[in-house]
Amino acid sequence: SYTGGKAEEFNKKHISEVGLSEDMVTTIDNIAEEIKKSKEKIQKEIAFSITEEEKIIMALNAIPEFNEEGRLETILFIFHDITGLKKIEEEVKEKNAKITDSINYAFRLQNAILPSQKLIKQSFPDSFMFYLPRDIVSGDFPWMYEKDDDVYIAAIDCTGHGVPGAMLSLIGYFIMNQILSQPGVLTPGEILTQLHK
């Protein structure tokens, strides 16, 4: 199907006489030489030009066959056209890269709202914060708010992981700040009630 020829047209002919492209003949010759030396099966992905703009990608298996004396008798070449699969693979890689870039950007946004260790240590000198998200971004976040002489601190677990959890964590962060910006001192119960609302 690659050459457009019939099987009988190939019988007992040299590889250079059957209308294969020059780069395919060279590839097959090189692999045959490699197998003569190594006496081992070879698996490769190879791109061949059909036109100047278009290439076909083949999965190649070259299998040596030996006679009873252990001498190399024939090499079986099996080619599978995987051009379509490779295109899909490239599209998936490209989409994954875009998604990862977006998530990494979300990580930077989320990191910007987290209280720094330095800030926490100013109020609680003998403290530390251990924050290790399961995914790049997280539904959990530490929170701290200073109001007059009071320091409010919380470890908040939003429903979900990854991007959905991270979106909720940003919402939670801003709502918590909004609640505490009101005048007066609020108890933890009052804060949670307002957060729930």
Side-chain angles (χ1 to χ4, degrees):
S1 65
Y2 174 77
T3 62
K6 293 181 180 157
E8 51 270 20
E9 294 169 13
F10 288 70
N11 286 342
K12 300 188 190 302
K13 283 190 180 174
H14 190 270
I15 192 171
S16 60
E17 302 172 318
V18 293
L20 294 177
S21 65
E22 195 179 315
D23 59 338
M24 188 177 251
V25 172
T26 304
T27 299
I28 290 171
D29 278 341
N30 289 343
I31 288 170
E33 288 303 315
E34 208 176 312
I35 285 177
K36 282 178 193 173
K37 289 176 190 164
S38 71
K39 297 187 171 25
E40 289 179 2
K41 175 182 174 179
I42 290 174
Q43 289 180 298
K44 285 187 178 185
E45 282 181 13
I46 301 169
F48 297 110
S49 297
I50 297 173
T51 64
E52 280 186 30
E53 298 87 33
E54 197 180 351
K55 286 193 172 193
I56 188 169
I57 301 168
M58 300 273 205
L60 161 69
N61 282 301
I63 304 160
E65 297 172 339
F66 303 95
N67 62 18
E68 283 104 32
E69 290 91 50
R71 281 198 0 247
L72 181 64
E73 199 167 70
T74 56
I75 301 170
L76 177 63
F77 283 87
I78 303 166
F79 290 92
H80 291 283
D81 182 355
I82 57 167
T83 310
L85 286 173
K86 282 289 165 188
K87 280 182 184 168
I88 292 166
E89 191 179 290
E90 285 306 310
E91 285 172 17
V92 169
K93 275 185 190 171
E94 200 176 295
K95 285 178 181 171
N96 280 348
K98 284 180 181 175
I99 290 166
T100 304
D101 287 347
S102 292
I103 291 171
N104 284 330
Y105 192 75
F107 168 76
R108 286 170 55 200
L109 292 173
Q110 192 177 42
N111 245 24
I113 67 166
L114 299 179
S116 68
Q117 298 270 17
K118 189 178 174 186
L119 180 69
I120 294 171
K121 282 202 173 289
Q122 283 174 2
S123 297
F124 306 100
D126 295 331
S127 68
F128 71 94
M129 178 174 69
F130 181 72
Y131 179 67
L132 186 66
R134 189 190 79 172
D135 300 306
I136 297 169
V137 288
S138 175
D140 307 331
F141 68 98
W143 172 84
M144 185 173 162
Y145 193 93
E146 292 183 74
K147 184 177 178 181
D148 303 323
D149 293 333
D150 297 316
V151 178
Y152 295 84
I153 193 161
I156 299 171
D157 183 355
C158 296
T159 304
H161 296 277
V163 174
M167 289 178 76
L168 284 174
S169 74
L170 283 169
I171 293 165
Y173 170 85
F174 288 110
I175 291 173
M176 289 290 282
N177 285 353
Q178 187 183 347
I179 292 166
L180 268 295
S181 67
Q182 298 170 31
V185 177
L186 295 170
T187 66
E190 289 166 335
I191 295 168
L192 288 174
T193 301
Q194 288 196 38
L195 178 62
H196 178 67
K197 284 179 186 173

